[in-house]
Amino acid sequence: QVQLVESGGGLVQAGGSLRLSCVASGRTFGSYGMGWFRQAPGKEREFVAHIRGNGGYTTYADSVQGRFTISRDNAKNTVYLQMNSLKSDDTAVYYCARHSGGLGFGRAERYDYWGQGTQVTVSS
């Protein structure tokens, strides 16, 4: 069983920055891709970013491209999401998740373990 614990959310003004962290349990962290998703009130969960297990490949949703950066430290079993130039539309609960393999980085059903989420609120 893999446990994922997010932290780093909070309240920030538009234009500000936050860095989210997600710590994973287990010894195989570096063998799996990791993703970040978010869900705003009344909306479906949406893909934000993905990083390959070795960190050599990343991909982003168009809505965050150029503002958000996903990274990982396999020695610390941690994946990060650096969020800059935040907008009110970025307000959501942010979840990290472990990719189960194969293609479809943007599809939630391709991820098998999820954290509990961390709230990000951007005030305008």
Side-chain angles (χ1 to χ4, degrees), residues 37 47 99 103-111 114:
F37 286 74
F47 170 74
H99 192 249
L103 298 179
F105 302 126
R107 297 168 55 187
E109 59 265 32
R110 299 300 299 175
Y111 293 79
W114 293 78

Side-chain angles (χ1 to χ4, degrees):
Q1 188 77 1
V2 174
Q3 292 185 327
L4 303 174
V5 180
E6 302 99 334
S7 62
L11 174 63
V12 63
Q13 289 188 334
S17 299
L18 281 175
R19 188 176 82 153
L20 306 183
S21 300
C22 171
V23 180
S25 64
R27 299 183 177 181
T28 61
F29 178 74
S31 299
Y32 292 89
M34 296 294 295
W36 286 96
F37 286 74
R38 66 186 182 186
Q39 187 167 18
K43 295 187 177 181
E44 293 186 354
R45 189 170 298 190
E46 65 172 357
F47 170 74
V48 175
H50 173 92
I51 187 167
R52 189 167 285 174
N54 62 7
Y57 171 82
T58 58
T59 187
Y60 299 89
D62 290 343
S63 59
V64 306
Q65 180 76 47
R67 300 188 297 121
F68 290 11
T69 302
I70 188 171
S71 62
R72 65 190 298 158
D73 184 339
N74 287 345
K76 296 182 178 179
N77 274 23
T78 302
V79 61
Y80 304 98
L81 186 68
Q82 177 67 43
M83 306 185 295
N84 299 329
S85 302
L86 283 162
K87 308 174 182 179
S88 56
D89 287 348
D90 296 318
T91 294
V93 177
Y94 284 71
Y95 300 89
C96 70
R98 191 184 79 168
H99 192 249
S100 58
L103 298 179
F105 302 126
R107 297 168 55 187
E109 59 265 32
R110 299 300 299 175
Y111 293 79
D112 54 2
Y113 290 97
W114 293 78
Q116 82 289 347
T118 185
Q119 176 71 47
V120 172
T121 303
V122 183
S123 63
S124 56

